[in-house]
Amino acid sequence: MVEVLIAPQEIERRVKELAKEIEEALPSPFVVISLLKGAFIFTADLVRNFRDVELDFMKVESYRGREKGKTKMTLEPRVPLEGKRVLIVDDIFDTGESLDFAFRWVKAKGALDVKTCVLLDKEVEKRTSLKPDFVGFRVPDYFVVGYGLDLDEKFRQLPYIGYLKE
Ligand code: IMP
Ligand code: MG
């Protein structure tokens, strides 16, 4: 059973607010790189508030629960990043390894300024010193689903963020 943690209206309000914070800190134009698949709905809502962006996607996969450093890229963005301002958008900052990997990869492509934005920051121990620049909501250490986040590819379509309860 899925219990509601963050309602659709609350998400909508916070996404608009985040977009304002981002546009103040990161002048247009910039490149948005969305991490698949989890960030796809969040990204769709967020980018509709921006005036001038290029959008691309990236996919990194981590072997969850295993040792550090086992993260690999499975889809590379094609938009040139050299000399650009970039915003990396992810669904949830859990151990932080996937965002850390994406951040280092984008930096290595010669981006001028790289900022990171996550919808959710889970209250767990991190495996990186990276801190996301923009955070939608802090959530307890629950397994959350909905608004793009899945459990075995299910629940991504839910309009709210929920957590699983037996
Ligand atoms: P990381 O541990 O910060 O590298 O998180 C890796 C990825 O695991 C996230 O981008 C999510 O796709 C997924 N993930 C982590 N926690 C949850 C959760 O509670 N629900 C759904 N997916 C999660
Ligand atoms: Mg996932």
Side-chain angles (χ1 to χ4, degrees):
M1 210 185 120
V2 184
E3 290 278 312
V4 178
L5 188 64
I6 308 169
Q9 311 86 281
E10 180 70 358
I11 299 172
E12 194 186 336
R13 188 195 59 75
R14 184 65 186 127
V15 168
K16 289 216 172 78
E17 212 171 67
L18 264 179
K20 279 215 182 83
E21 288 176 31
I22 292 165
E23 283 222 299
E24 277 164 22
L26 194 67
S28 278
F30 56 92
V31 181
V32 174
I33 295 188
S34 174
L35 297 195
L36 292 174
K37 300 176 191 172
F40 85 109
I41 293 182
F42 174 43
T43 304
D45 284 344
L46 190 67
V47 295
R48 278 179 280 180
N49 295 281
F50 297 146
R51 281 175 300 118
D52 188 6
V53 294
E54 291 174 276
L55 174 66
D56 208 343
F57 295 92
M58 175 170 178
K59 190 167 186 187
V60 300
E61 282 173 40
S62 52
Y63 299 89
R64 301 184 51 76
R66 301 211 200 145
E67 76 268 33
K68 199 177 157 76
K70 290 277 195 266
T71 308
K72 65 170 185 181
M73 161 95 69
T74 56
L75 176 76
E76 282 194 15
R78 303 286 293 274
V79 169
L81 301 174
E82 195 170 344
K84 304 262 184 78
R85 282 185 291 273
V86 179
L87 178 72
I88 302 175
V89 179
D90 202 2
D91 56 353
I92 185 164
F93 194 61
D94 184 18
T95 67
E97 284 188 333
S98 34
L99 193 63
D100 179 86
F101 182 91
F103 179 83
R104 283 184 289 106
W105 192 90
V106 169
K107 275 263 175 193
K109 291 288 165 189
L112 186 72
D113 185 10
V114 187
K115 298 268 194 281
T116 55
C117 174
V118 295
L119 174 68
L120 306 172
D121 182 4
K122 205 190 268 198
E123 287 164 358
V124 294
E125 200 183 315
K126 306 301 177 192
R127 294 189 195 166
T128 170
S129 56
L130 181 80
K131 301 258 183 295
D133 297 292
F134 309 98
V135 174
F137 303 93
R138 293 187 203 283
V139 293
D141 187 10
Y142 293 159
F143 195 84
V144 292
V145 294
Y147 197 67
L149 290 106
D150 73 309
L151 171 64
D152 295 337
E153 304 303 335
K154 292 187 64 170
F155 309 112
R156 293 195 197 272
Q157 83 287 358
L158 297 175
Y160 55 86
I161 294 159
Y163 66 98
L164 292 163
K165 217 176 161 187
E166 329 291 86

